Amino acid sequence: MGVSTPSRRERLRAETAAEIKTVALGLMAEGGPDAITLRAIAREMGMTAGAIYGYYETRDTLVSALITDVYTSLVDTVEAARDAVPADDAAGRILAWGQTLREWALANPEGFRLIYGDPVPGYQAPEGGAAAEAAHRACAGLTGLVAAAWPQAVARQPGGYDWTDFDPILTGLVRAEFPGLPPAAVALALRVWGRMHGLVALEVYGHLRGQTKDAGRLYLDELRDLTRSLGLEGRPAAPA
Amino acid sequence: MGVSTPSRRERLRAETAAEIKTVALGLMAEGGPDAITLRAIAREMGMTAGAIYGYYETRDTLVSALITDVYTSLVDTVEAARDAVPADDAAGRILAWGQTLREWALANPEGFRLIYGDPVPGYQAPEGGAAAEAAHRACAGLTGLVAAAWPQAVARQPGGYDWTDFDPILTGLVRAEFPGLPPAAVALALRVWGRMHGLVALEVYGHLRGQTKDAGRLYLDELRDLTRSLGLEGRPAAPA
DNA sequence: TGTTCTAACTTAACGCCGTGTAGTAAATGT
DNA sequence: ACATTTACTACACGGCGTTAAGTTAGAACA
């Protein structure tokens, strides 16, 4: 049924739905997430606000769609940066991921706020929502980075813990991609996530402005300390 | 001029100004920061929205005052937790600070969002604002924690850097409180801040919900790794 | 081709919101 | 007792999300 040949109507409809998101992103770029207004979008498109309800159930629905798009774009960016570094350079890959995350956040502060800040007043990420998929990709990517350093890292981790009570969704997904990797590695990946997120969030939200003028070096120091704590000393491991 | 004996008018005025903030905090507790509405506050107080303009220039001014109050309360809380641990137990003090930060954030998620999230659409923390003072207190507190571990920590810091380009305000303030402590120690304190902030922010904003069920242990692992990276092994240093 | 149907859109309204302006009543200072 | 300042109300403006009813242009079918 129209899967192969979308009718003219379906095509126009999809184009309009996409234009709404594009215009919304433009409004967000100047004026922040609060500038995403159905009336402003409609104004920009030569429509009336009510018309948008034919494409998105509510404003929150639209914003959720934007979150998914932006989150996906972020994950695409950091994954690309990671893949530009040789796979045997575990430290380099972590640095690339981390620095690209910060650069993306500084270049798209509104997008970063949209993803990690208050998305919508009473917003709750839908359980199986599409945005959760981007989060899982990010987490899986970090797990991959940690996995590459796991042998060195595990020696520095005191106490084995059991770490068996992870969310089944993630555990299943990551186990499928990294068979044999213990849950503790995922825990470590989440901690790495938190470590990268912390300074970037503080910087994006302006909390470092009054404290330092070189947040970039601060962050680089932190990433270097991170790779060191994973047992990755500076250069990639030369083949034995 | 009434400094010693506030007139009846001044007292009533101060009480009303305080009640506005109290009611606003109550509204925020249920319904989030977006529930802070001049009309709702006035409704709750049996007034009209316009009356509030006699106490706060604008809604953003009120919210800024709330941020200051909440931030101050947070810093008071973590400082008290720190001071409940003997001064010679550097690792214990850091753990106390970090865990209390998380507990406060989970108990007052809306307050955490208010401080560290998007406070107000076009909000920019005023350069010398009162909220900046709370931030400086937090930073100074962390610097104190780092200072106690500095001898052990400095050995693990590769490369001395110079770190002389700090914001003069903070450098002056911290230097006054910790004379002789190099700027690099403040840099390390900021990194510690970022490390604590990262996981707490991710958890408060719900980004860990789909990934793990035991964010608390994750965070504790991170704090333990943090103290270890500062050269503080588990127990306080016994007197030589 | 002519008719019917339907999806896309407009218009108008409701109740919120922040924010000004003008007016009122009471407390205050002299 | 009177003048002034203060605290507040009443009202209006424009903008917001959202909904219900009405309109129109294009697709579908005879």
Side-chain angles (χ1 to χ4, degrees), chain A residues 64 67 71 115 119-120 122-132 135, chain B residues 205-207 209-210:
Chain A
S64 298
I67 291 175
Y71 209 156
I115 297 173
V120 159
Y123 179 82
Q124 278 289 72
E127 207 58 35
Chain B
Y205 283 95
H207 296 288
R209 243 197 319 269

Side-chain angles (χ1 to χ4, degrees), chain B residues 33-34 65 68 87 140 153-154 238 240:
Chain B
D34 294 289
T68 301
V154 73

Side-chain angles (χ1 to χ4, degrees), chain A residues 170-233:
Chain A
L170 183 79
T171 305
L173 195 147
V174 171
R175 283 294 188 81
E177 211 168 332
F178 306 97
L181 202 63
V186 184
L188 182 52
L190 290 174
R191 281 171 46 203
V192 169
W193 186 16
R195 223 166 144 174
M196 291 177 174
H197 178 76
L199 280 177
V200 172
L202 286 177
E203 184 177 8
V204 167
Y205 283 94
H207 297 287
L208 294 183
R209 243 196 318 267
Q211 326 291 340
T212 179
K213 286 176 185 155
D214 199 348
R217 188 161 63 176
L218 202 67
Y219 186 68
L220 185 55
D221 282 8
E222 181 69 6
L223 289 183
R224 290 241 165 82
D225 190 58
L226 169 60
T227 57
R228 206 177 325 118
S229 81
L230 291 176
L232 305 171
E233 307 294 338

Side-chain angles (χ1 to χ4, degrees), chain B residues 136 139-140 143 169-179 181 186:
Chain B
H136 279 153
C139 189
T143 303
I169 302 172
L170 182 81
T171 305
L173 196 146
V174 170
R175 283 291 188 84
E177 209 168 335
F178 306 96
L181 201 64
V186 184

Side-chain angles (χ1 to χ4, degrees), chain A residues 205-207 209, chain B residues 64 119 122-129 131-132:
Chain A
Y205 283 94
H207 297 287
R209 243 196 318 267
Chain B
S64 297
Y123 180 82
Q124 277 288 71
E127 206 59 35

Side-chain angles (χ1 to χ4, degrees), chain B:
Chain B
M1 286 117 132
V3 169
S4 50
T5 56
S7 75
R8 166 180 167 78
R9 249 170 129 100
E10 283 168 329
R11 202 190 18 167
L12 286 182
R13 181 178 175 74
E15 280 170 8
T16 304
E19 189 188 351
I20 289 174
K21 289 201 288 187
T22 304
V23 171
L25 286 174
L27 288 172
M28 184 184 70
E30 33 168 309
D34 294 289
I36 303 177
T37 288
L38 297 190
R39 294 183 126 101
I41 295 171
R43 220 177 290 134
E44 198 112 345
M45 294 178 66
M47 296 197 320
T48 50
I52 300 181
Y53 283 86
Y55 298 88
Y56 299 94
E57 290 180 10
T58 177
R59 178 185 177 272
D60 291 8
T61 311
L62 168 60
V63 173
S64 297
L66 291 178
I67 291 175
T68 301
D69 284 9
V70 174
Y71 209 155
T72 301
S73 149
L74 164 60
V75 176
D76 287 346
T77 304
V78 293
E79 279 185 354
R82 171 202 63 190
D83 293 338
V85 174
D88 65 347
D89 183 3
R93 290 192 137 208
I94 291 176
L95 282 174
W97 181 291
Q99 295 224 267
T100 305
L101 168 66
R102 173 170 175 267
E103 285 157 14
W104 185 95
L106 293 182
N108 311 279
E110 306 301 354
F112 186 87
R113 285 149 122 64
L114 194 67
I115 297 173
Y116 292 110
D118 254 333
V120 160
Y123 180 82
Q124 277 288 71
E127 206 59 35
E133 199 207 334
H136 279 153
R137 272 183 68 199
C139 189
L142 284 169
T143 303
L145 294 177
V146 167
W150 187 244
Q152 300 95 314
V154 73
R156 310 204 165 207
Q157 286 284 104
Y161 309 118
D162 49 0
W163 277 117
T164 52
D165 59 347
F166 271 93
D167 185 76
I169 302 172
L170 182 81
T171 305
L173 196 146
V174 170
R175 283 291 188 84
E177 209 168 335
F178 306 96
L181 201 64
V186 184
L188 182 53
L190 290 174
R191 280 172 45 202
V192 169
W193 186 15
R195 222 164 145 175
M196 291 177 174
H197 179 77
L199 280 178
V200 172
L202 286 177
E203 185 177 7
V204 167
Y205 283 95
H207 296 288
L208 294 182
R209 243 197 319 269
Q211 326 290 339
T212 178
K213 286 175 186 156
D214 199 347
R217 187 161 64 176
L218 202 67
Y219 186 67
L220 185 55
D221 282 8
E222 181 69 6
L223 289 183
R224 290 242 164 82
D225 190 58
L226 169 59
T227 57
R228 205 176 326 117
S229 81
L230 291 176
L232 306 171
E233 306 295 339
R235 294 275 53 232

Side-chain angles (χ1 to χ4, degrees), chain A residues 5 43 50 61 72 76 85 101 107 123 125 131 140 149-150 166 193 234 237 239-240:
Chain A
T5 55
R43 222 176 290 135
T61 312
T72 301
D76 286 347
V85 175
L101 168 66
Y123 179 82
W150 187 242
F166 271 92
W193 186 16

